Coordinates of all heavy atoms in Angstrom, one line a residue:
R38 N 1.0 -13.1 -6.6 CA 2.1 -13.3 -7.6 C 2.8 -12.0 -7.9 O 2.2 -11.0 -7.8 CB 1.5 -13.8 -9.0 CG 0.9 -15.2 -8.9 CD 0.1 -15.5 -10.2 NE -1.1 -14.7 -10.4 CZ -1.5 -14.1 -11.5 NH1 -0.8 -14.2 -12.6 NH2 -2.6 -13.5 -11.5
C39 N 4.1 -12.1 -8.2 CA 4.8 -10.9 -8.6 C 5.8 -11.3 -9.7 O 6.4 -12.4 -9.6 CB 5.5 -10.3 -7.4 SG 6.2 -8.6 -7.8
N40 N 6.0 -10.3 -10.6 CA 7.0 -10.6 -11.7 C 8.4 -10.1 -11.3 O 9.4 -10.2 -12.0 CB 6.6 -10.0 -13.0 CG 6.0 -8.5 -12.8 OD1 5.9 -8.1 -11.7 ND2 5.7 -7.9 -13.9
Y41 N 8.6 -9.5 -10.1 CA 9.9 -9.1 -9.6 C 10.2 -10.0 -8.3 O 9.3 -10.5 -7.7 CB 9.9 -7.6 -9.1 CG 10.0 -6.6 -10.3 CD1 10.0 -7.0 -11.6 CD2 10.1 -5.3 -10.0 CE1 10.1 -6.1 -12.6 CE2 10.2 -4.3 -11.0 CZ 10.2 -4.8 -12.3 OH 10.3 -3.9 -13.3
C43 N 12.3 -8.8 -5.6 CA 13.1 -7.9 -5.0 C 13.8 -8.5 -3.7 O 13.2 -9.2 -3.0 CB 12.3 -6.7 -4.5 SG 11.6 -5.8 -6.0
Y45 N 14.9 -7.7 -1.0 CA 14.5 -7.4 0.4 C 13.1 -7.9 0.7 O 12.6 -7.7 1.9 CB 14.6 -5.9 0.7 CG 13.7 -5.1 -0.1 CD1 12.4 -4.8 0.4 CD2 14.1 -4.6 -1.3 CE1 11.5 -4.0 -0.4 CE2 13.2 -3.8 -2.1 CZ 11.9 -3.6 -1.6 OH 11.0 -2.8 -2.3
C46 N 12.4 -8.4 -0.3 CA 11.0 -8.8 -0.1 C 10.8 -10.3 -0.3 O 10.2 -10.9 0.5 CB 10.2 -8.0 -1.1 SG 8.4 -8.2 -1.1
L80 N -5.7 -0.9 -4.8 CA -5.4 -2.3 -5.2 C -4.0 -2.5 -5.2 O -3.2 -1.7 -5.7 CB -6.0 -2.4 -6.7 CG -7.5 -2.2 -6.7 CD1 -8.0 -2.2 -8.2 CD2 -8.3 -3.2 -5.9
T81 N -3.6 -3.7 -4.7 CA -2.2 -4.0 -4.6 C -1.9 -5.5 -4.7 O -2.8 -6.2 -5.2 CB -1.6 -3.4 -3.3 OG1 -0.2 -3.6 -3.2 CG2 -2.3 -3.9 -2.0
G82 N -0.7 -5.9 -4.4 CA -0.5 -7.3 -4.5 C 0.7 -7.7 -3.6 O 1.1 -7.0 -2.7
G83 N 1.5 -8.7 -4.0 CA 1.8 -9.2 -5.3 C 1.9 -8.0 -6.3 O 2.0 -6.9 -5.9
E84 N 1.8 -8.3 -7.6 CA 1.8 -7.3 -8.6 C 0.4 -7.2 -9.2 O 0.1 -8.1 -10.0 CB 2.9 -7.6 -9.6 CG 3.0 -6.6 -10.8 CD 2.8 -5.1 -10.4 OE1 3.4 -4.7 -9.4 OE2 2.0 -4.4 -11.1
P85 N -0.3 -6.2 -8.9 CA -1.7 -6.2 -9.4 C -1.9 -6.1 -10.9 O -2.9 -6.6 -11.4 CB -2.3 -4.9 -8.7 CG -1.1 -4.1 -8.3 CD 0.0 -5.0 -8.1
T114 N -1.1 0.3 -6.4 CA 0.4 0.3 -6.1 C 1.0 -0.8 -7.0 O 0.5 -1.9 -7.0 CB 0.6 -0.1 -4.6 OG1 0.0 0.9 -3.8 CG2 2.1 -0.1 -4.3
T115 N 2.0 -0.4 -7.8 CA 2.5 -1.4 -8.8 C 4.0 -1.2 -8.9 O 4.6 -0.1 -8.5 CB 1.9 -1.1 -10.2 OG1 2.6 -1.8 -11.2 CG2 2.0 0.4 -10.5
N116 N 4.7 -2.2 -9.4 CA 6.1 -2.0 -9.7 C 6.3 -1.3 -11.0 O 7.5 -1.0 -11.3 CB 6.9 -3.4 -9.6 CG 6.4 -4.4 -10.6 OD1 5.9 -4.0 -11.7 ND2 6.5 -5.7 -10.3
G117 N 5.3 -1.1 -11.7 CA 5.3 -0.3 -12.9 C 5.8 -1.0 -14.2 O 5.8 -0.4 -15.3
T136 N 0.8 4.6 -7.6 CA 2.0 4.7 -6.9 C 3.0 3.6 -7.4 O 2.5 2.4 -7.5 CB 1.8 4.4 -5.4 OG1 0.9 5.4 -4.9 CG2 3.1 4.5 -4.6
I137 N 4.1 4.0 -7.8 CA 5.1 3.1 -8.5 C 6.3 2.8 -7.5 O 6.8 3.8 -7.0 CB 5.6 3.6 -9.8 CG1 4.3 3.9 -10.7 CG2 6.6 2.7 -10.5 CD1 4.6 4.6 -12.0
S138 N 6.6 1.6 -7.3 CA 7.7 1.3 -6.4 C 9.0 1.3 -7.2 O 9.0 0.7 -8.3 CB 7.5 -0.1 -5.8 OG 6.3 -0.1 -5.1
M139 N 10.0 1.9 -6.7 CA 11.3 2.0 -7.4 C 12.3 2.3 -6.4 O 12.3 3.3 -5.7 CB 11.2 3.2 -8.4 CG 12.2 3.3 -9.4 SD 11.9 4.8 -10.4 CE 13.3 4.7 -11.4
D140 N 13.3 1.3 -6.3 CA 14.2 1.4 -5.1 C 15.6 1.9 -5.5 O 16.4 1.9 -4.6 CB 14.2 0.0 -4.4 CG 12.8 -0.4 -4.0 OD1 12.1 0.4 -3.4 OD2 12.5 -1.6 -4.2
N178 N 7.5 5.1 -4.6 CA 7.8 4.6 -3.3 C 9.2 4.0 -3.4 O 9.4 3.1 -4.2 CB 6.8 3.5 -2.8 CG 5.6 4.2 -2.2 OD1 5.5 5.4 -2.0 ND2 4.7 3.3 -1.8
C179 N 10.1 4.4 -2.5 CA 11.4 3.8 -2.4 C 11.7 3.3 -1.0 O 11.7 4.1 -0.1 CB 12.4 4.9 -2.8 SG 14.1 4.4 -2.4
V180 N 11.9 2.0 -0.9 CA 12.3 1.4 0.4 C 13.8 1.5 0.5 O 14.5 1.0 -0.3 CB 11.8 0.0 0.5 CG1 12.2 -0.6 1.9 CG2 10.3 -0.1 0.4
I207 N 10.5 5.0 2.2 CA 9.8 4.2 3.2 C 10.9 3.5 4.0 O 11.8 2.9 3.5 CB 8.9 3.2 2.5 CG1 7.9 3.9 1.6 CG2 8.2 2.4 3.5 CD1 7.0 3.0 0.9
E208 N 10.7 3.5 5.3 CA 11.6 2.8 6.2 C 11.3 1.3 6.1 O 10.1 0.9 6.0 CB 11.4 3.2 7.7 CG 12.0 4.6 7.9 CD 11.7 5.0 9.4 OE1 10.9 4.4 10.1 OE2 12.3 6.0 9.8
F209 N 12.3 0.5 6.0 CA 12.2 -1.0 5.9 C 11.6 -1.6 7.1 O 12.0 -1.3 8.2 CB 13.7 -1.5 5.7 CG 13.8 -3.0 5.4 CD1 12.9 -3.7 4.6 CD2 14.8 -3.7 6.0 CE1 13.0 -5.0 4.4 CE2 15.0 -5.0 5.8 CZ 14.0 -5.7 5.0
M210 N 10.6 -2.4 6.9 CA 9.9 -3.1 8.0 C 10.2 -4.6 8.0 O 10.4 -5.1 6.9 CB 8.4 -2.9 7.9 CG 7.9 -1.4 8.1 SD 6.1 -1.3 7.8 CE 6.0 -1.2 6.1
P211 N 10.0 -5.2 9.1 CA 10.3 -6.7 9.2 C 9.1 -7.5 8.6 O 8.4 -8.1 9.3 CB 10.5 -7.0 10.7 CG 9.8 -5.8 11.4 CD 9.8 -4.7 10.5
L212 N 9.0 -7.4 7.3 CA 7.9 -8.1 6.6 C 8.4 -8.9 5.4 O 7.7 -9.2 4.4 CB 6.9 -7.1 6.1 CG 6.0 -6.5 7.2 CD1 5.2 -5.3 6.7 CD2 5.0 -7.6 7.7
E213 N 9.7 -9.2 5.4 CA 10.3 -9.9 4.3 C 10.1 -11.4 4.4 O 9.9 -11.9 5.5 CB 11.8 -9.5 4.1 CG 12.7 -10.1 5.2 CD 12.6 -9.4 6.6 OE1 11.6 -8.8 6.9 OE2 13.6 -9.6 7.4
W218 N 15.8 -8.4 8.1 CA 15.6 -7.1 8.9 C 16.4 -7.1 10.2 O 16.5 -8.0 10.9 CB 14.1 -7.0 9.2 CG 13.7 -5.6 9.7 CD1 13.4 -4.5 8.9 CD2 13.7 -5.1 11.1 NE1 13.1 -3.4 9.7 CE2 13.4 -3.8 11.1 CE3 14.0 -5.7 12.3 CZ2 13.2 -3.0 12.2 CZ3 13.9 -5.0 13.5 CH2 13.5 -3.6 13.4
P268 N 7.4 4.2 9.4 CA 6.6 3.3 10.4 C 7.5 2.8 11.5 O 7.0 2.4 12.5 CB 6.2 2.2 9.5 CG 7.1 2.2 8.3 CD 7.5 3.6 8.1
M342 N 5.1 -9.3 3.3 CA 4.5 -8.1 2.6 C 3.9 -8.5 1.3 O 2.7 -8.2 0.9 CB 5.6 -7.1 2.4 CG 5.0 -5.8 1.9 SD 4.0 -4.9 3.1 CE 4.8 -3.3 3.2
V343 N 4.6 -9.3 0.5 CA 4.1 -9.6 -0.9 C 2.8 -10.5 -0.8 O 2.0 -10.4 -1.7 CB 5.2 -10.4 -1.7 CG1 5.5 -11.7 -1.1 CG2 4.8 -10.5 -3.2
H344 N 2.6 -11.2 0.3 CA 1.4 -12.1 0.4 C 0.3 -11.4 1.2 O -0.8 -11.8 1.1 CB 1.8 -13.4 1.1 CG 2.9 -14.1 0.4 ND1 2.7 -14.7 -0.9 CD2 4.2 -14.4 0.7 CE1 3.8 -15.2 -1.3 NE2 4.7 -15.0 -0.4
G346 N -0.1 -7.8 0.8 CA -0.5 -6.7 0.0 C 0.0 -5.4 0.5 O -0.5 -5.0 1.6
G347 N 1.1 -4.8 -0.1 CA 1.7 -3.7 0.5 C 1.0 -2.4 0.2 O 0.1 -2.3 -0.5
Ligands
LIG1 N1 4.1 -5.1 -6.6 C1 3.6 -3.9 -6.2 C2 4.8 -2.9 -6.0 O1 5.9 -3.2 -6.3 O2 4.5 -1.8 -5.5 C3 2.7 -3.9 -4.9 C4 3.2 -4.8 -3.8 S1 4.7 -4.4 -3.0 C5 4.7 -5.6 -1.8 C6 4.2 -2.9 -2.2 C7 5.2 -2.1 -1.6 O3 5.7 -2.7 -0.4 C8 6.4 -1.8 -2.5 O4 6.6 -0.4 -2.5 C9 7.6 -2.5 -1.7 O5 8.8 -1.8 -1.9 C10 7.1 -2.4 -0.3 N2 7.7 -3.3 0.6 C11 7.9 -4.6 0.4 N3 8.6 -5.2 1.5 C12 8.7 -4.2 2.4 C13 9.3 -4.1 3.7 N4 9.8 -5.1 4.3 N5 9.3 -2.9 4.3 C14 8.7 -1.8 3.7 N6 8.2 -1.8 2.5 C15 8.2 -3.0 1.8

Side-chain angles (χ1 to χ4, degrees):
R38 291 172 287 138
C39 191
N40 44 354
Y41 282 4
C43 296
Y45 63 89
C46 183
L80 299 172
T81 181
E84 174 46 42
T114 301
T115 171
N116 60 30
T136 300
I137 300 170
S138 304
M139 191 181 180
D140 301 315
N178 275 358
C179 167
V180 178
I207 304 180
E208 290 177 347
F209 183 40
M210 293 179 278
L212 283 169
E213 71 286 23
W218 191 90
M342 189 68 127
V343 66
H344 303 294

